[in-house]
Structures are given as structure tokens and as C-alpha cells.
Amino acid sequence: MADLKALSEAIIHGKADEAKTLVQQALDERVSVETILSDGLIAGMNCVGQEFKANRFYVPEVLIAARAMNQAQALLEPHLKEQGVKAVGKAAVGTVKGDLHDIGKNLVIMMLKGNGFEIMDLGIDVGPAKFLEAANQGADVIGLSALLTTTMPQMKDVVSALKDAGCNVPVMIGGAPVTQNYADEIGAQGYAPDAASAVDVARSLIGA
Ligand code: B1M
């Protein structure tokens, strides 16, 4: 039977090959992609976060876990796409300037893709100009991710830059330190606490 506890342990210890095998096993047993993500991959990464915070893990361990997470996550992507519907809109998503965290952003992108969004992945460490460029290139919604309290203010800079340029493309924000209150404060039109709700928020922002 699919062992999601073993999967989260494999992520915690950065065992990418084992994690991929366990993901494949779970998929073969028809465990839903959402369950594999939440009870296996994200559960493992959350534990890594706690260990990092308690100084029991250091940056190399976190990076190895992140690599395992990314590789295992890639196996899920085609299955999410299979469940998807036809293109509902174009989303440009990036992690804001000064911030290198991309696991959450990649999950959001994966869920959006799986639910029929066309994606412009702007990457990490993205400044306001690149978000504005994406809006001018036809993005229907802009997604900003930030994991650091020190990079959250960058979100405000992006919202202001779009506004100053007269651009009406709605902005959705998210990331561990981000809240609905913060979205309201900076004038972002949407906030999503996790990748699954990011899909609902993006849909509602573009009226899909
Ligand atoms: Co960093 N890091 N990190 N880190 N790191 C955190 C964020 C931290 C909370 C750890 C801690 O101290 N407990 C802390 C931030 C503290 C703070 O600001 N209050 C921290 C720190 C301090 C740092 C450094 C400064 C450490 C240092 O160098 N001294 C440094 C900063 C580098 C930089 O960005 N400039 C740093 C570096 C790193 C690594 C490179 C080692 C690595 C990143 C690897 C990578 O991303 N490729 C890393 C990691 C992995 C983490 C933790 C352990 C895990 C983050 C993660 O991937 N979580 C993290 C601790 C934690 O969060 N518990 C930590 C799993 C992911 C699925 O969740 O990203 O929250 P998350 O995404 C969720 C939601 O937030 C939401 O949906 C996702 C899925 O449900 N979401 C959105 C995210 N973006 C969204 C966008 C949306 C909507 C929803 O709309 C567009």
C-alpha cells in the first residue's frame, strides 16, 4: 500500500530516488495527486522547515530536501494536467526580488497548469519591471510569491509599478508570511494561502 509517511521521510532526508519511487507507487495505486502532495511532499517539507528553524538542519540539508521535493513533484505534473480543462487564461507567476524560494511558486504553477491556465514562469528574484512586461505581453493575472518577511515589501512595489503604468491586470499574492490583511494593505486583488486555493482565486480574478 502507498506509504505517504515514508514519502515524507524520504523528502526530509533528501532521498530523491526513494521519493520518486514512492510517488510512482502511490500514483500506480490511484492515490490522488492532492493527497500525495499534501500528506507526502508538503508534509515532509514542513518538517524540514521546523528542523531548519530549530537549527537541527542547515542550508545544505534543506537544499537536498528541496531537490528531492522538486524531482518528486515533477512526476505529478502530467497527472495534474490530465485532470485539467482547456485554457482558461494566462498567469504570470514569479518569486519577488531578493527572494530565492521557489518550491511554493512551482507548486502554485503546477496547480494552475493542471487546471487549464497557460503559464509564464518568471522564476525567482523577479523585479517589478519583469512583472509589468509580463502584463504587457498578455498575462490575465499576475502571481507574486514571497517567503521572507524582508521581501514581502517587494510585493507592494510590484502593485505600485503596475498601477503607475496604468495596468489593470489583477495581482494575486501568497507565501508563508503573507496574509489577506497584507494583500488588502498593499492593494493586491487576491490572496491565496496555498496552491489549491490559488487556482480558485486566479479563476475568480479573471472571471473564469
Ligand atoms: Co529559507 N527561509 N531561507 N530556504 N526556507 C524559510 C522561508 C524560513 C521561514 C525558515 C525559518 O527560519 N523557519 C525563513 C524565513 C523567516 C522570515 O522571513 N520570517 C527562511 C530564511 C531565513 C532563509 C534564508 C535567509 C536563510 C539564510 O541564508 N540564512 C535564505 C534566504 C535566501 C533568499 O531567498 N534570498 C533561505 C534560503 C533557503 C534555501 C535556498 C536553503 C531553501 C529554498 C530552496 C528553494 O526554494 N529552491 C529554503 C527553504 C526550503 C526554506 C523552508 C525550509 C521551506 C520553504 C518551502 O519550500 N516550503 C522555509 C521554512 C518553512 O516555510 N517552513 C524557509 C514548502 C512550500 C510548499 O511551502 O513555499 O510556503 P510555501 O508555499 C505554499 C504557500 O505558502 C502558498 O502555496 C504553497 C503551496 O501550498 N504559496 C502561494 C506560495 N507562494 C504562493 C503564491 C501564490 C499563492 C500561494 O500566488 C501567486
Side-chain angles (χ1 to χ4, degrees), residues 53 62 98 100-104 107 145 147-149 174-176 192 194-195:
K53 196 172 179 182
V62 177
L100 308 177
H101 295 86
D102 68 356
I103 297 173
L107 270 176
S145 180
L147 264 289
L148 299 171
T149 42
D194 54 52

Side-chain angles (χ1 to χ4, degrees), residues 89-160:
K90 197 188 270 187
V93 187
T95 303
V96 295
K97 192 151 192 58
D99 201 320
L100 308 177
H101 295 86
D102 68 356
I103 297 173
K105 167 191 75 72
N106 292 342
L107 270 176
V108 169
I109 285 178
M110 193 169 89
M111 291 299 282
L112 287 170
K113 264 191 200 166
N115 282 276
F117 277 84
E118 200 182 315
I119 296 294
M120 296 162 86
D121 183 352
L122 304 183
I124 53 175
D125 194 18
V126 184
K130 205 164 162 188
F131 285 108
L132 181 57
E133 194 184 316
N136 289 334
Q137 284 172 357
D140 301 303
V141 58
I142 302 280
L144 313 178
S145 180
L147 264 289
L148 299 171
T149 42
T150 48
T151 57
M152 277 169 68
Q154 290 293 328
M155 293 177 146
K156 186 171 185 215
D157 292 352
V158 176
V159 172
S160 303

